[in-house]
Amino acid sequence: MIPAAEALDRLRAGNRRFVAGERTADEPLSHQRRAELVAGQEPFAIVFGCSDSRVPAEIVFDQGIGDLFVIRVAGNVVAPSLVGSVEFAAAQFGTRLVVVLGHTRCGAVTATLDELQRPTEGQSKNLRSIVDRVRPAVLPLLDTDLAGDRDALIDRAVRANVIASANQLRHGSEILEELMDDGLSVVGAEYSLETGEVDFFDGV
């Protein structure tokens, strides 16, 4: 079992390699590595991220198969089945780090802000379910000076949404709360589409 602090160091080092264009994770994709994983897995971190195609966790953190347990959904919103996925990995594999990974210019967050400022009719109920989960984190921002600066509003909203999702995992599951007493750590991070850098800014 890899402690949360060590797992976080691994992710930071991998992201530095990614940003520098020095990826090393191709070797772990070998036939031998795949064969080693047939009998089981021991991911050292759980990444709960957005589905955006520009933020593939294994690549962003320069990791190979078997290294990360990745859960992705638009807007990195927390729903029961997704909490269950985190619980499963943390309890089953002993993984002690959960990273909620948002990213700049998140489409789900932007769509939520648009809906709050200019409501539309006939939106898919499934899409609305994502908007409704992002809404509580970003709605208070519309009552601040940020409401007049769209770029700043989106930037702050992305981080607010990450923090909200991380807090839901920390306090919305008895299993995860118990595991936190045993060394599990839930941290929030933001990936920059512009630079490729991941900023761990919540819970570290």
Side-chain angles (χ1 to χ4, degrees), residues 138-149 152-153 156:
V138 304
L139 183 59
L141 299 177
L142 295 177
D143 292 327
T144 70
D145 292 341
L146 291 170
D149 184 338
L153 175 63
R156 185 71 63 84

Side-chain angles (χ1 to χ4, degrees), residues 142-174:
L142 295 177
D143 292 327
T144 70
D145 292 341
L146 291 170
D149 184 338
R150 182 167 174 78
D151 289 341
L153 175 63
I154 293 172
D155 289 347
R156 185 71 63 84
V158 165
R159 293 201 167 212
N161 185 52
V162 167
I163 292 170
S165 293
N167 281 332
Q168 284 180 276
L169 292 178
R170 292 180 187 122
H171 306 296
S173 161
E174 291 183 6

